[in-house]
Amino acid sequence: MLQETWIALSTVVTSHFFITVFTAWLFASFVKVVLHLIKARKFDFRLLVDTGRMPSSHSAFVMCLSTVVGLETGWDSPLYLFALGFAILVMNDASGVRRAAGHQARILNVILDDMSQHKHISQGRLKEFLGHTRLEVMAGATIGVMWGLFFY
């Protein structure tokens, strides 16, 4: 059973399909590191796995996935429509729910800053970069589509 699972897993991660989609996510994450380097003049490799910022690596991943599914199964196949619907749902979540959670975290951090001026509060800061702007989502989606078209 363990050997069969290992063979199935290795088949998945070595497939052209998986490598194309995974590298789209990796490329978008790498772009985040480079843009941060240009803007802040320092490397931050945590951005490779962190949420938020330009471009959305989640959007690159799901749009590359749907593009590759469309190329493989046809643009009118139910599987492509399912993958596209999944991508739209993920991108809407990134620019809606996660973005709103980031705004709330920013407000709570301001409240903590205000409270700390009157007395010592030893509480950790909340993470503010949880979601994406629509521009960040579109940039990630464009990377995903282009990556799927060029490398699959």
Side-chain angles (χ1 to χ4, degrees):
M1 176 69 177
L2 183 60
Q3 184 178 8
E4 293 170 355
T5 302
W6 179 252
I7 290 170
L9 183 62
S10 65
T11 301
V12 168
V13 298
T14 58
S15 73
H16 186 56
F17 187 95
F18 177 83
I19 291 170
T20 303
V21 173
F22 177 75
T23 56
W25 170 83
L26 190 62
F27 177 75
S29 297
F30 180 73
V31 170
K32 276 186 205 184
V33 173
V34 171
L35 290 177
H36 182 73
L37 172 66
I38 293 168
K39 186 176 180 181
R41 299 192 184 280
K42 68 176 184 177
F43 279 106
D44 189 352
F45 287 110
R46 292 176 298 177
L47 295 177
L48 285 174
V49 292
D50 208 0
T51 58
R53 301 186 192 261
M54 174 68 110
S56 167
S57 52
H58 290 88
S59 299
F61 180 89
V62 294
M63 283 307 293
C64 185
L65 175 69
S66 68
T67 300
V68 170
V69 167
L71 289 170
E72 187 73 28
T73 65
W75 302 108
D76 60 346
S77 76
L79 191 56
Y80 168 69
L81 293 176
F82 176 78
L84 182 62
F86 170 73
I88 290 169
L89 182 67
V90 167
M91 292 188 300
N92 186 52
D93 178 63
S95 65
V97 176
R98 289 177 41 218
R99 182 94 179 142
H103 285 299
Q104 291 175 355
R106 189 171 305 117
I107 291 167
L108 288 172
N109 285 333
V110 169
I111 291 170
L112 287 174
D113 288 342
D114 290 346
M115 291 175 67
S116 69
Q117 291 176 359
H118 301 292
K119 63 180 183 179
H120 177 69
I121 299 172
S122 61
Q123 297 192 11
R125 308 256 322 158
L126 297 173
K127 182 174 168 64
E128 295 178 6
F129 288 104
L130 298 172
H132 295 281
T133 64
R134 297 224 184 264
L135 178 63
E136 292 168 345
V137 168
M138 290 308 298
T142 302
I143 287 172
V145 170
M146 300 306 289
W147 200 270
L149 290 173
F150 287 130
F151 295 106
Y152 187 72

